[in-house]
């Protein structure tokens, strides 16, 4: 690579930055750039049906409400307690009152996993005024996401209340420093983890089970005609006065129409049921008298009633949901033919309605309609599912997730819908025991990682791929083809995040194993090799990178054929790595014809075709063919701006090369105008001190001072 190279693209729009600030990023944006924010909504709590009356929380609420008065700020409150005790209900009620009574802007973020937390917090930044270019840079890993979010929270013109719900893994908040305080607002965290070391500087508030009288009132609120207050109190005692168990019991009692149950009947049936063991993940170990044990009794009575009424499909649907995560699940995922292996698709609507009526699940609106069930409930349902039912449930869940993930992920805009799928992939991998089904699940989750990667969400891609590989290894072994493919994908994402040393270590290790197990020409080995040559090039080892790239091109030609898109991707990379004179002789002198071949085979707007045009423009520029380079990069720049928006890194890279070709042709004024716009956009998106911004500003100064010189034609 030459020292003067900057901002040209290769391999689906990867952008090299040299002259002291080498880095590579990737374009991933189709269509309207303004739509990149997606449907993430932080103004609506991800809560289904709120409690009719919030019992026994007046004192806690009053103290929390007091923090919302007179524009106080800087407080962090942590609501902790066992799963099902009503922490989210308290936070929801505070959220509603803070908005209605005290003019606060309410912001609600699910914090159960890294991808959901990051997406939600970036949506908070967008709500508080962050520009698309800044959000895009944060998703691409080009600027610290948490710093961007808190910068805009601190600048907020309106006081706010930020709820971080279900933060049962506090280490997620610590990584990246997501949990901070601000004088402009109040932060409320709900969690099952109470250790003070996780919450320095926060005020901790325990949310426990309800007092007897209030627990009885909850049952009477939900099923007012089923019995007396004293009967309700007796049932509440037997359910440990846990709000989740009370809600499930009340939902059951309130929806018995043909043969309604009384509270007395319900209590008698509780005595006859065996305890269903469950694991409340993230909380302390269960004691024998822990009321969470009793959640299983409540839903089992409901499922027994379903079976008696000929509604076994409701039971099947709940067991299917229990294979996935207790996070919002798009309803569209359930509306697939594949669900027929567990219950008739035509009966899915009535089954879901039955679960909703009995409070076994709820509808939530997060920009798209989703269904969500409580984690304690799903864990207990999964634990009680008969072993002979699990294989069909597991394979069906895999097929449903498979249908929701793009079959051929391509470069495109940020897609919050993909983020909604992220927690369900690892959850499924944890549930599945059969190796063959585990392999199918791992393949789907790895493809989801590819889709995340190609929409620019590199952090989510890396985290999900790493987790999937670790879970897959438990069932399939460290050297299974799919486990290695997931680790290779994690290495590719590390590269995009600028973590080159880690990326090299990962890809070298994976590629060595793939070559030993499958051969040098195996498609997976070649894919890892293509990723590794990119890393080597950016680590300042162009000779190694070029040798590996040539081997990859040759291998892909042999295995995939000369016209395969992956072969063309690797050949396109040669336009970047080769010295200018070698471009004319490589591949029998046909390399400069690659864009025309791609357009003929793949179409003129294909991502590989555009990347090949971009890379040829750079090669022509290095060869001193400035007029041809200028015309080519002008068309590429226009295409990128149309498809990806003017602030996208690849569009700015192309525009920067266009400024060079214009200046090289003698139109310095046009070159300065183009570079001035690049600098302004990079300052807006990345900040004035980012290496990309610094390099662009330096080039602009060279143009303006007359010190810049174009490359000399070879020969």
């Amino acid at each position: 690579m030459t020292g003067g190279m900057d901002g040209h693209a290769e391999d689906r729009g990867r952008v090299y930055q040299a002259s002291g600030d080498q880095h590579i990023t990737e374009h991933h944006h189709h269509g309207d750039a303004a739509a990149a924010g997606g449907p993430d909504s932080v103004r609506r709590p991800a809560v289904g049906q709120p409690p009719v009356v919030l019992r026994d929380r007046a004192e806690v609420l009053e103290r929390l409400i007091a923090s919302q008065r007179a524009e106080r700020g800087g407080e962090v409150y942590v609501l902790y307690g066992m799963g099902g005790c009503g922490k989210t209900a308290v936070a929801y009620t505070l959220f509603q009152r803070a908005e209605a009574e005290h003019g606060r802007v309410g912001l609600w973020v699910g914090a159960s996993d890294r991808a959901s937390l990051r997406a939600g917090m970036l949506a908070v930044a967008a709500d508080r005024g962050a520009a698309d270019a800044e959000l895009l840079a944060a998703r691409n890993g080009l600027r610290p996401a948490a710093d961007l979010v808190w910068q805009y929270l601190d600048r907020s013109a309106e006081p706010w209340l930020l709820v971080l719900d279900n933060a049962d893994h506090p280490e997620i908040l610590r990584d990246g420093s997501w949990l901070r305080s601000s004088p402009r607002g109040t932060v409320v965290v709900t969690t099952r983890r109470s250790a003070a070391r996780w919450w320095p500087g926060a005020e901790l508030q325990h949310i426990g089970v309800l007092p007897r009288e209030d627990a009885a009132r909850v049952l009477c609120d939900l099923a007012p005609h089923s019995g007396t207050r004293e009967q309700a109190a007796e049932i509440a005692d037997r359910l440990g006065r846990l709000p989740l168990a009370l809600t499930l019991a009340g939902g059951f009692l309130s929806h018995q129409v043909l043969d309604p149950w009384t509270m007395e009947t319900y209590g008698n049936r509780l005595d006859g049921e065996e305890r269903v063991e469950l694991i409340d993940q993230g909380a302390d170990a269960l004691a024998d008298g822990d009321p969470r044990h009793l959640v299983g009794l409540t839903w089992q009575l409901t499922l027994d009633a379903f079976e008696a009424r000929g509604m076994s499909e409701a039971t099947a649907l709940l067991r299917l949901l229990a294979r996935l995560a207790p996070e919002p699940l798009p309803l569209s995922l359930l509306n697939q033919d594949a669900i027929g292996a567990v219950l008739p698709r035509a009966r899915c609507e009535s089954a879901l309605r039955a679960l909703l009526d009995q409070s076994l699940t709820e509808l939530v609106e997060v920009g798209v309609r989703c269904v969500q069930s409580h984690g304690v409930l799903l864990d207990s349902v999964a634990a009680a599912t008969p072993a002979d039912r699990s294989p069909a449930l597991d394979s069906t869940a895999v097929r449903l997730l498979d249908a929701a993930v793009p079959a051929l992920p391509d470069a495109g805009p940020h897609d919050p819908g993909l983020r909604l799928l992220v927690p369900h992939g690892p959850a499924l991998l944890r549930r599945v025991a059969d190796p063959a089904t585990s392999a199918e699940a791992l393949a789907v989750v790895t493809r989801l990682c590819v889709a995340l990667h190609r929409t620019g969400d590199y952090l989510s891609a890396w985290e999900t791929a790493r987790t999937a590989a670790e879970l897959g290894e438990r069932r399939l072994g460290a050297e299974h083809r799919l486990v290695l493919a997931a680790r290779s994908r994690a290495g590719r994402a590390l590269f995009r995040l600028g973590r080159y040393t880690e990326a090299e270590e990962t890809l070298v290790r994976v590629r060595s194993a793939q070559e030993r197990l499958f051969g040098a020409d195996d498609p997976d080995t070649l894919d890892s090799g293509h990723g590794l040559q990119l890393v080597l090039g950016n680590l300042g080892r162009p000779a190694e990178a070029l040798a590996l790239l040539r081997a990859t091109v040759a291998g892909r030609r042999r295995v995939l054929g000369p016209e395969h898109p992956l072969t063309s991707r690797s050949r396109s990379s040669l336009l970047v790595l080769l010295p200018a004179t070698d471009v004319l002789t490589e591949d029998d002198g046909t390399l400069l014809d690659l864009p025309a071949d791609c357009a003929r085979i793949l179409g003129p707007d294909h991502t590989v075709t555009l990347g090949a045009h971009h890379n040829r423009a750079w090669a022509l520029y290095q060869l001193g063919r400035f007029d041809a380079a200028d015309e080519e990069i002008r068309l590429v720049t226009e295409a990128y701006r149309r498809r990806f928006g003017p602030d996208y890194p690849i569009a700015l890279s192309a525009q920067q090369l266009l400024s060079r070709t214009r200046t090289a042709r003698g139109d310095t004024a046009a070159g300065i105008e183009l570079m001035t716009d690049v600098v302004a956009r990079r300052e807006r998106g990345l900040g004035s001190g980012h290496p990309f911004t610094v390099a662009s500003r330096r080039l602009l100064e060279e143009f303006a001072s007359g010190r810049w010189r174009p490359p000399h034609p070879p020969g």
Side-chain angles (χ1 to χ4, degrees):
M1 285 191 267
T2 63
M5 183 173 63
D6 80 311
H8 63 284
E10 66 84 27
D11 184 36
R12 286 184 178 266
R14 297 181 175 105
V15 182
Y16 279 76
Q17 292 287 352
S19 301
D21 65 315
Q22 275 192 328
H23 189 82
I24 297 179
T25 188
E26 182 171 315
H27 74 276
H28 294 303
H29 197 293
H30 287 297
D32 184 4
D40 281 314
S41 175
V42 291
R43 290 293 190 99
R44 294 191 298 268
V47 176
Q49 184 65 36
V52 178
V53 179
L54 191 64
R55 299 293 184 184
D56 184 48
R57 309 302 190 199
E59 181 180 347
V60 174
L61 266 176
E62 186 52 41
R63 288 197 300 107
L64 293 172
I65 287 293
S67 69
Q68 306 304 293
R69 300 189 181 112
E71 293 198 9
R72 284 174 49 187
E75 300 94 344
V76 177
Y77 297 95
V78 175
L79 309 181
Y80 72 92
M82 70 178 74
C85 68
K87 304 179 295 294
T88 296
V90 173
Y92 175 86
T93 304
L94 171 65
F95 186 99
Q96 298 296 98
R97 291 185 59 183
E99 284 194 324
E101 301 173 12
H102 301 287
R104 293 267 175 160
V105 172
L107 305 165
W108 189 284
V109 173
S112 61
D113 64 272
R114 287 181 171 86
S116 298
L117 172 66
R118 184 166 49 253
M121 291 296 275
L122 287 175
V124 165
D127 183 272
R128 296 294 82 205
D132 286 346
E134 295 173 302
L135 298 168
L136 181 64
R139 292 191 188 101
N140 278 256
L142 299 178
R143 65 182 302 165
D147 289 350
L148 175 69
V149 174
W150 283 98
Q151 170 187 321
Y152 277 93
L153 284 172
D154 288 340
R155 293 178 182 176
S156 176
E158 305 149 298
W160 45 262
L161 169 68
L162 171 63
V163 175
L164 302 177
D165 192 34
N166 292 326
D168 296 329
H169 302 282
E171 61 274 14
I172 293 174
L173 296 176
R174 181 170 291 180
D175 293 345
S177 188
W178 287 106
L179 181 58
R180 309 181 191 182
S181 61
S182 170
R184 296 302 298 144
T186 303
V187 181
V188 173
V189 181
T190 72
T191 182
R192 307 184 204 182
R193 304 286 289 278
S194 61
R197 72 178 184 278
W198 292 116
W199 317 110
E203 180 176 333
L204 274 66
Q205 172 63 56
H206 180 248
I207 305 295
V209 300
L210 296 172
R212 189 174 195 266
E213 183 64 21
D214 286 294
R217 288 177 178 173
V218 168
L219 279 176
C220 292
D221 291 338
L222 295 170
H225 306 298
S226 299
T228 66
R229 183 71 59 82
E230 183 55 36
Q231 289 172 327
E234 291 177 2
I235 291 178
D237 283 340
R238 288 148 103 173
L239 295 178
R241 306 194 303 277
L242 184 71
L244 173 60
L246 297 171
T247 299
L248 296 177
F252 174 83
L253 289 168
S254 64
H255 287 90
Q256 303 305 304
V257 179
L258 295 177
D259 186 18
W261 287 31
T262 64
M263 290 188 185
E264 181 180 12
T265 304
Y266 193 88
N268 291 336
R269 289 297 298 274
L270 283 177
D271 288 337
E273 294 293 330
E274 295 182 2
R275 171 176 292 176
V276 176
E277 297 293 336
L278 62 93
I279 299 173
D280 183 7
Q281 295 178 354
D284 296 332
L286 301 183
D288 287 342
D290 195 308
R292 285 169 289 171
H293 282 296
L294 299 167
V295 171
L297 302 184
T298 60
W299 64 255
Q300 189 60 57
L301 289 180
T302 303
L303 298 190
D304 289 345
F306 286 157
E307 297 289 342
R309 290 157 49 193
M311 295 182 60
S312 59
E313 61 270 12
T315 302
L317 180 57
L318 183 60
R319 287 171 173 163
L320 180 62
L321 294 176
R323 315 317 289 174
L324 302 168
E327 302 300 326
L329 180 74
L331 284 173
S332 58
L333 190 139
L334 300 176
N335 191 25
Q336 304 287 341
D337 289 336
I339 205 169
V342 170
L343 71 155
R345 182 177 179 181
R347 298 285 290 168
C348 188
E349 176 78 23
S350 60
L352 179 59
R353 178 54 56 193
L355 297 182
L356 292 168
D357 286 345
Q358 303 289 340
S359 301
L360 291 167
T361 193
E362 57 184 0
L363 293 177
V364 295
E365 178 65 48
V366 291
V368 296
R369 296 182 71 222
C370 294
V371 64
Q372 184 175 11
S373 301
H374 199 286
V376 174
L377 171 65
L378 294 185
D379 286 340
S380 63
V381 170
T385 297
D388 62 343
R389 302 288 181 87
S390 294
L393 292 166
D394 290 338
S395 60
T396 299
V398 171
R399 287 196 293 273
L400 292 175
L401 189 62
D402 178 54
V405 178
L408 294 171
D410 194 10
H414 169 64
D415 184 358
L418 292 176
R419 191 268 303 165
L420 291 174
L421 301 178
V422 167
H424 300 289
L428 183 54
L429 285 169
R430 290 185 180 96
R431 298 279 194 219
V432 175
D434 175 66
T437 309
S438 292
E440 294 174 4
L442 180 56
V444 172
V445 177
T446 302
R447 197 171 81 248
L448 174 60
C449 296
V450 175
L452 291 165
H453 185 110
R454 291 179 180 171
T455 60
D457 193 350
Y458 303 128
L459 274 170
S460 295
W462 169 63
E463 291 161 354
T464 306
R466 179 185 59 171
T467 300
E470 291 171 353
L471 293 171
E473 184 174 330
R474 297 177 190 176
R475 296 278 189 268
L476 305 172
E479 294 191 335
H480 191 280
R481 175 183 290 276
L482 292 170
V483 173
L484 290 170
R487 294 204 184 280
S488 180
R489 178 50 52 185
R492 300 286 288 268
L494 283 169
F495 164 64
R496 294 299 176 200
L497 294 169
R499 296 162 62 173
Y500 301 143
T501 301
E502 295 172 79
E504 182 191 12
E505 292 172 353
T506 299
L507 290 171
V508 166
R509 185 170 60 252
V510 169
R511 181 173 175 272
S512 296
Q514 290 170 328
E515 188 170 21
R516 172 172 52 83
L517 295 166
F518 315 129
D521 278 354
D522 183 83
D524 286 359
T525 308
L526 294 168
D527 188 65
S528 295
H530 184 89
L532 180 57
Q533 61 88 18
L534 294 169
V535 178
L536 295 173
N538 278 262
L539 285 171
R541 291 146 63 184
E544 292 178 61
L546 182 56
L548 182 54
L549 179 58
R550 279 175 163 151
T552 302
V553 170
R556 283 183 162 173
R557 270 191 167 132
R558 285 191 296 269
V559 175
L560 304 176
E563 296 184 345
H564 193 280
L566 293 180
T567 305
S568 296
R569 285 175 62 191
S570 294
R571 289 188 67 206
S572 179
S573 298
L574 289 169
L575 288 164
V576 173
L577 279 180
L578 286 168
T581 51
D582 291 354
V583 168
L584 298 174
T585 58
E586 190 81 10
D587 272 357
D588 297 324
T590 63
L591 197 55
L592 288 177
D593 297 329
L594 178 62
D597 294 339
C598 290
R600 174 177 53 82
I601 298 165
L602 304 174
D605 294 327
H606 195 280
T607 311
V608 172
T609 303
L610 287 177
H613 278 294
H614 194 164
N615 291 349
R616 184 173 69 171
W618 172 259
L620 292 171
Y621 170 73
Q622 291 289 345
L623 287 166
R625 301 179 185 179
F626 301 134
D627 289 344
D630 183 80
E631 177 63 15
E632 187 135 26
I633 197 60
R634 179 185 67 80
L635 295 173
V636 170
T637 301
E638 291 173 357
Y640 283 162
R641 288 175 69 94
R642 280 196 309 272
R643 291 179 57 181
F644 310 135
D647 292 310
Y648 219 79
I650 189 66
L652 292 175
S653 172
Q655 185 171 324
Q656 185 158 303
L657 178 54
L658 180 60
S659 75
R660 286 179 177 272
T661 60
R662 288 290 159 90
T663 307
R665 295 174 66 226
D667 193 348
T668 303
I672 289 175
E673 182 180 357
L674 288 165
M675 274 310 303
T676 300
D677 185 59
V678 170
V679 170
R681 292 183 184 279
R682 283 185 164 163
E683 284 182 341
R684 190 160 54 243
L686 302 174
S688 60
H690 192 279
F692 284 14
T693 310
V694 172
S696 295
R697 191 184 301 114
R698 184 169 58 244
L699 182 59
L700 176 59
E701 291 169 355
E702 291 176 357
F703 285 169
S705 67
R707 292 183 286 109
W708 180 83
R709 295 291 181 271
H712 293 292

